[in-house]
Amino acid sequence: MDPVVTTAPPPSLEVTGLAYAYPDGHQALFGVDLSIARGERVALLGPNGAGKTTLVLHLNGILTAGAGSVTVAGLPVGKRHMAEIRRKVGIVFQDPDDQLFMPTVREDVAFGPAAAGVRGPELEARVLKALGQVGMAAYVDRPPHHLSFGQRRRVAVATVLAMEPEILVLDEPSSNLDPASRRELADILRSLDVTVLMVTHDLPYALELCPRALILSEGVIAADGPTAELLSDADLMSSHRLELPFGFDPKSVREKS
Ligand SMILES: Nc1ncnc2c1ncn2[C@@H]1O[C@H](COP(=O)(O)OP(=O)(O)OP(=O)(O)O)[C@@H](O)[C@H]1O
Ligand SMILES: [Mg+2]
């Protein structure tokens, strides 16, 4: 049981002064500061090579900060709390095949919770709930490699949901999805009661799903504000190599909550 909380919960994610250079000396992050409150859905935008994936890899300790800090629900990301951090931060990678490696969908979705000690009927219930959330419960006994790309993406989301994460981080979730699957994934993400950080080049998708957006450019946060405002700022957009689809008017879309 959680202790009785009398103050506001800590932010789901707090990044302070995060800088990182790859071992070959290439510096990708130059002091990133951001804070995401519990329950927010935030888009992380930025051109190719801006450092988005590098930032994501710091959120659950796959990479560790050269300088600065990352905390998840008040817990510092670092060796001491790694198992708990991995449970709290659910990352859905761009390529579902990086995430699915077991003979059946059931085993893939059960893998994380089982490693965290969940067993028996509780484990099966977690698996079926997570697959139900992404509309894939009927596929529980299928081998993941027999599924279509869009189906594998949904199962990858389920593997993360089964961990009941504090924050769901998605790297390019709409890429390679057909329009119906793209919309269905948006419906799924909106229905979840979880903090979401979504890396995307799909600006209409960001606008539809995320009330707030961050622009990461050359390894720093260059803008942070309401998604519709950022996308409507033509100078800001062009100075960070961001382009809306032809004819798309960000003011014509109202995000649904
Ligand atoms: N393993 C690595 N070693 C050295 N440099 C790297 C490595 N991975 C990425 N980089 C460099 O770090 C910078 C940031 O890369 P990153 O993959 O984080 O960008 P991104 O914003 O995710 O881009 P994209 O939109 O193309 O996915 C780039 O200049 C890239 O070349
Ligand atoms: Mg990337």
Side-chain angles (χ1 to χ4, degrees):
M1 282 280 280
D2 286 335
V4 177
V5 177
T6 48
T7 50
S12 286
L13 180 65
E14 184 114 60
V15 176
T16 311
L18 181 66
Y20 180 76
Y22 280 100
D24 70 355
H26 182 90
Q27 186 154 358
L29 301 176
F30 288 85
V32 170
D33 295 292
L34 63 94
S35 176
I36 299 180
R38 184 167 287 184
E40 272 195 291
R41 279 198 306 272
V42 179
L44 181 62
L45 312 176
N48 292 137
K52 302 180 299 296
T53 298
T54 306
L55 174 58
V56 166
L57 294 175
H58 280 83
L59 303 185
N60 74 350
I62 296 173
L63 294 179
T64 44
S69 67
V70 180
T71 59
V72 173
L75 207 64
V77 176
K79 283 202 191 77
R80 232 164 85 84
H81 305 288
M82 204 51 91
E84 205 177 342
I85 291 290
R86 296 265 156 100
R87 282 200 292 278
K88 284 182 186 291
V89 181
I91 301 186
V92 180
F93 293 100
Q94 181 162 357
D95 183 351
D97 296 334
D98 289 345
Q99 222 143 0
L100 305 176
F101 48 87
M102 298 295 278
T104 65
V105 165
R106 171 184 281 103
E107 288 162 280
D108 258 325
V109 179
F111 186 85
V118 183
R119 296 278 181 272
E122 193 192 337
L123 182 59
E124 178 72 0
R126 281 260 201 126
V127 168
L128 293 178
K129 180 177 172 206
L131 285 169
Q133 283 175 307
V134 299
M136 289 295 290
Y139 294 79
V140 62
D141 293 313
R142 299 273 296 271
H145 61 276
H146 286 180
L147 304 181
S148 77
F149 184 91
Q151 292 168 335
R152 293 202 301 282
R153 166 75 46 75
R154 291 193 203 197
V155 172
V157 173
T159 63
V160 165
L161 292 179
M163 298 298 285
E164 300 180 345
E166 162 87 18
I167 178 165
L168 185 59
V169 182
L170 305 116
D171 201 347
E172 290 291 340
S174 64
S175 65
N176 297 311
L177 295 186
D178 64 34
S181 306
R182 181 177 173 279
R183 183 183 46 71
E184 284 161 10
L185 183 63
D187 292 340
I188 291 162
L189 293 176
R190 253 194 302 270
S191 73
L192 300 172
D193 183 20
V194 61
T195 310
V196 171
L197 178 65
M198 185 171 99
V199 176
T200 189
H201 294 291
D202 182 343
L203 301 178
Y205 208 57
L207 181 58
E208 189 191 332
L209 269 169
C210 301
R212 176 179 164 210
L214 308 167
I215 296 178
L216 186 69
S217 190
E218 298 179 359
V220 294
I221 300 291
D224 177 352
T227 308
E229 263 175 40
L230 267 46
L231 298 191
S232 305
D233 184 337
D235 292 340
L236 178 71
M237 294 285 285
S238 65
S239 61
H240 299 295
R241 296 177 53 80
L242 296 170
E243 285 184 21
L244 295 168
F246 179 74
F248 179 79
D249 175 6
K251 294 187 199 76
S252 70
V253 177
R254 290 199 52 188
E255 90 258 329
K256 303 171 212 164
S257 52

